Amino acid sequence: MSIFRSMVTYILLVIGAVIVMFPIGYAFIISFLSGAQLLQGVLWPDEWSLQNYVTAFEKVPLLRYLWNSFIVSFIVMIGQLLVSSLAAYAFVFLRFWGRDVLFFMTIATMLIPWEATVIPNFLTIQKFGWTNSYLGLTVPFFALAFGIFLLRQHFKTIPFELYEAAQVSGVRHFRFFWYVVLPLSKTSLATLGVYSFLTTWNMYLWPLLVTNDEKVRTVQIGLKQMQTQEMATEWGVVMAAVVIVIMPTLLLLFIGQKQLQKGLMQGAIK
């Protein structure tokens, strides 16, 4: 009976994996088809040519967009790790009036739809003169309530006696934070880093609002730009660009999958 259940489980997992991966595989196959083949309804390329990939880089400054997305995603990832870890440290190891109330207010911001904050954030960025700049694309996302919550839950598993012993030994807050707390929280930090990078890489609406210069626009805007420029016979070029864009995220997801899963489970259980 257990063997039958295992077989059924694996079959369902395989079916689920095929369903999830089908759009990516289909886009990969289309990226090798010419416009004429797509119009003829060809489902498999006769010749595996990289011409569509070459054309994708020629139609729009795709390499520049990829670099911008990498820079923006990396800066947001570092900013969220820094702000979230410092805030979580304060909520766990520091004693001050109203700490719990402030934490619950921070968590409550997760209930506010992101769309409701777009206009105030845009007006603020515009007033600071941060449009068409990396500052406008990154700074509004440094404070993340989810990241603070995730790291706080992990920091609470660190024995408070370590903090008290450090205080008795004359160890300052930053030294204790840097040499004790962070090394014990590598899994949660890696989880938050992967989550932050992937979320920022896939952003579309905010970069579209705060940028109109190709020098700072991200790759998601480039994909939409290519889609609007190309005719239906050039979908192979568009899909080639899509494959190029999703490859870094897939690699990062596959590399950090165990860390991501382990970190989320630790935050939930502990």
Side-chain angles (χ1 to χ4, degrees):
M1 189 66 178
S2 60
I3 298 177
F4 175 76
R5 288 181 179 179
S6 299
M7 291 180 61
V8 172
T9 301
Y10 281 113
I11 291 174
L12 292 176
L13 289 174
V14 170
I15 294 174
V18 170
I19 294 175
V20 172
M21 295 299 296
F22 175 76
I24 300 175
Y26 186 58
F28 179 76
I29 293 175
I30 291 179
S31 67
F32 290 95
L33 296 175
S34 63
Q37 290 176 325
L38 286 172
L39 290 176
Q40 294 172 3
V42 177
L43 299 179
W44 193 261
D46 298 330
E47 181 181 356
W48 296 86
S49 174
L50 296 176
Q51 182 58 43
N52 286 339
Y53 289 85
V54 176
T55 306
F57 283 98
E58 294 175 349
K59 291 293 182 180
V60 296
L62 191 58
L63 190 61
R64 179 67 183 181
Y65 292 157
L66 288 168
W67 175 252
N68 289 336
S69 290
F70 177 79
I71 292 297
V72 171
S73 300
F74 182 77
I75 293 175
V76 171
M77 179 185 70
I78 297 301
Q80 288 186 359
L81 287 174
L82 182 62
V83 173
S84 298
S85 59
L86 290 173
Y89 178 87
F91 284 132
V92 173
F93 294 103
L94 301 186
R95 296 289 187 264
F96 56 90
W97 184 86
R99 184 187 65 173
D100 294 337
V101 175
L102 183 60
F103 173 71
F104 286 125
M105 290 177 61
T106 303
I107 297 302
T109 60
M110 298 175 64
L111 302 176
I112 303 175
W114 184 81
E115 292 77 8
T117 64
V118 170
I119 295 178
N121 282 338
F122 176 76
L123 294 177
T124 304
I125 293 301
Q126 190 178 45
K127 187 174 181 180
F128 287 166
W130 288 356
T131 56
N132 290 318
S133 68
Y134 289 140
L135 290 174
L137 289 169
T138 58
V139 174
F141 301 97
F142 281 179
L144 182 67
F146 169 75
I148 297 173
F149 171 76
L150 178 67
L151 295 183
R152 175 183 178 270
Q153 294 303 105
H154 185 81
F155 288 178
K156 290 181 67 176
T157 64
I158 300 175
F160 194 76
E161 288 76 11
L162 283 176
Y163 171 76
E164 293 177 337
Q167 293 298 301
V168 172
S169 301
V171 177
R172 297 293 182 180
H173 286 292
F174 183 78
R175 188 175 181 183
F176 178 75
F177 168 78
W178 187 261
Y179 289 102
V180 178
V181 176
L182 293 186
L184 293 175
S185 308
K186 292 180 180 179
T187 301
S188 295
L189 292 172
T191 301
L192 181 59
V194 173
Y195 174 82
S196 301
F197 190 94
L198 294 178
T199 303
T200 308
W201 183 275
N202 294 319
M203 279 197 308
Y204 172 75
L205 180 58
W206 182 253
L208 181 65
L209 289 175
V210 300
T211 61
N212 52 27
D213 189 351
E214 291 184 351
K215 293 182 179 180
V216 292
R217 279 196 157 176
T218 57
V219 73
Q220 304 299 333
I221 309 301
L223 285 179
K224 187 63 178 179
Q225 180 181 346
M226 181 178 293
Q227 181 181 346
T228 56
Q229 287 179 353
E230 299 299 329
M231 303 297 292
T233 54
E234 297 293 337
W235 275 106
V237 178
V238 176
M239 288 303 169
V242 170
V243 172
I244 294 172
V245 170
I246 65 177
M247 284 303 295
T249 59
L250 289 178
L251 290 175
L252 182 61
L253 185 60
F254 287 147
I255 294 174
Q257 183 178 10
K258 291 184 178 180
Q259 292 288 90
L260 184 63
Q261 182 180 4
K262 184 178 179 181
L264 290 175
M265 289 299 295
Q266 281 184 346
I269 294 175
K270 294 182 180 180

